[in-house]
Amino acid sequence: MNRPPDLKRRLVLGAGLAGAACIALPAAAQSNWPSRPVKILVPFPAAGTTDILARAIAPELSKAFGQQFIVDNRAGAGGNVGSEIVAHSPPDGYTLLMGTVGTHGINRALYSKLPYDPIKDFAPITMVAGVPNVMVMPADKSKAMGILTVADFIKYAKAHPGQLNMASSGNGTSIHLAGELFKSLTGTYLVHFPYRGSGPALLDLIGGTMDVMFDNLPSSLQQIKAGKLRALAVTSRQRSAALPDVPTMEEAAGLKGFDATSWFGLLAPAGTPPDIVNRIQQEVAKSFNTPAIKEKLLAQGAIPSGNTPAEFARLIEAEHVKWAQVVKASGAKVD
């Protein structure tokens, strides 16, 4: 049946408007984001550095966007449990991850199988901060054992192979790998005990069940200042401004090039609209220009970043190469 020309034009115009509306819907949805609370999954328990940094930045994002950014701890398997949840979440900007050098730089080389792809399954937003690790012992135990320096520790460990217990926040974390790197470079044998985060590991370390830990500085700093832990060395190439009197590994024991620093950053599921990713990054970077948040992080030994999504993506790719070499050299493996 033939339709009049003007009816055909109205039908074509109507179809075009409907198509335009369909195309415009995602953009409209993005402009309304966030219309409900946003979750930041922390793949480790409370009280560790990942948790500390997430809880430092969440209130700033809540103020900036007018919606609550809620920290949700989902620990397990060296950060893999929480990371997998975010990797398989809808890419709508309502589920974010506070990723780490472990979840996105180390684990692919350490685990034979990962339930997520640290590059393909995520949209990097921004690196929040970088921190050195610090080699710590219970202060009372280090004094009783006559271990006051890294050199003392190496001498004791070689004389008592397999008798010192090394705690970590989990298999594959930078805390674990810093210890493995130390063992391989010094020829010492320490028994590794992986925990479900820095918080539980520190409790046993302070309690004396564990002997040593290569912890992220922010989670150990208060215990060091309180005199409960003795800091033997930081694992970065330079001393930390938060502990200026604590030497580097190279200064303390001649371990040239020893560098096992950690980083933490926000990521979203792959496919999250770039507009949302960019808005979050901009607000994080903006918050670091305010003295309160910047000084809060620096006081904990963390160095704020706020880099762009592209810069963060390049860092993650470079870290895969770096830590794959460390894992291979250390012989560490988790199945």
Side-chain angles (χ1 to χ4, degrees):
M1 178 174 139
N2 294 328
R3 294 184 175 92
D6 60 336
L7 179 57
K8 287 183 180 179
R9 283 195 297 271
R10 285 198 298 273
L11 288 171
V12 171
L13 178 60
L17 290 173
C22 290
I23 294 171
L25 277 176
Q30 291 174 40
S31 65
N32 292 331
W33 179 92
S35 60
R36 65 178 191 272
V38 177
K39 283 186 178 181
I40 301 177
L41 264 67
V42 171
F44 297 98
T49 300
T50 318
D51 182 71
I52 290 170
L53 292 177
R55 293 184 188 279
I57 201 66
E60 302 301 314
L61 293 173
S62 297
K63 286 187 289 186
F65 290 108
Q67 287 286 348
Q68 287 297 309
F69 279 67
I70 303 167
V71 176
D72 184 3
N73 297 85
R74 300 291 188 93
N80 291 342
V81 171
S83 299
E84 180 185 9
I85 292 171
V86 177
H88 300 151
S89 293
D92 54 12
Y94 289 98
T95 305
L96 309 177
L97 176 73
M98 181 62 84
T100 71
V101 63
T103 61
H104 284 72
I106 296 173
N107 284 3
R108 191 161 73 172
L110 191 69
Y111 287 80
S112 57
K113 291 182 181 180
L114 274 185
Y116 63 92
D117 188 304
I119 293 180
K120 294 180 181 179
D121 291 342
F122 293 88
I125 298 174
T126 187
M127 177 175 153
V128 173
V131 303
N133 289 9
V134 59
M135 183 181 182
V136 287
M137 289 187 68
D140 292 342
K141 181 175 279 192
S142 71
K143 184 177 180 180
M145 297 169 71
I147 301 175
L148 305 181
T149 66
V150 177
D152 292 338
F153 183 92
I154 295 171
K155 182 178 179 180
Y156 186 96
K158 286 185 174 181
H160 303 84
Q163 294 184 28
L164 293 176
N165 297 330
M166 180 184 79
S168 83
S169 55
N171 285 316
T173 61
S174 67
I175 295 170
H176 172 206
L177 263 292
E180 293 294 341
L181 181 61
F182 177 85
K183 287 161 61 178
S184 68
L185 292 177
T186 59
T188 53
Y189 173 45
L190 312 174
V191 182
H192 176 224
F193 285 84
Y195 286 73
R196 288 171 61 88
S198 282
L202 281 173
L203 287 176
D204 276 1
L205 183 69
I206 294 169
T209 305
M210 294 289 113
D211 300 304
V212 68
M213 186 172 173
F214 293 78
D215 194 27
N216 299 143
L217 180 54
S219 50
S220 279
L221 186 59
Q222 296 308 313
Q223 302 300 334
I224 294 169
K225 290 184 174 180
K228 294 182 179 180
L229 293 177
R230 177 184 295 277
L232 299 181
V234 291
T235 64
S236 51
R237 292 179 184 272
Q238 293 83 31
R239 294 193 181 198
S240 168
L243 292 174
D245 295 331
V246 176
T248 65
M249 281 291 180
E250 183 170 345
E251 292 171 333
L255 301 180
K256 292 185 178 181
F258 194 107
D259 185 15
T261 52
S262 301
W263 52 259
F264 306 81
L266 288 172
L267 302 104
T272 300
D275 174 61
I276 293 175
V277 169
N278 290 329
R279 288 170 63 192
I280 297 172
Q281 182 272 325
Q282 289 162 10
E283 292 300 335
V284 170
K286 191 185 298 182
S287 73
F288 292 153
N289 291 325
T290 61
I293 184 68
K294 186 174 183 179
E295 290 172 8
K296 182 178 182 179
L297 295 183
L298 289 173
Q300 296 183 56
I303 302 171
S305 175
N307 60 3
T308 67
E311 290 169 338
F312 190 26
R314 287 195 293 271
L315 171 70
I316 291 172
E317 291 178 359
E319 289 289 273
H320 277 293
V321 176
K322 169 188 171 180
W323 285 105
Q325 295 171 347
V326 173
V327 169
K328 184 178 180 180
S330 71
K333 205 69 181 174
V334 178
D335 292 316

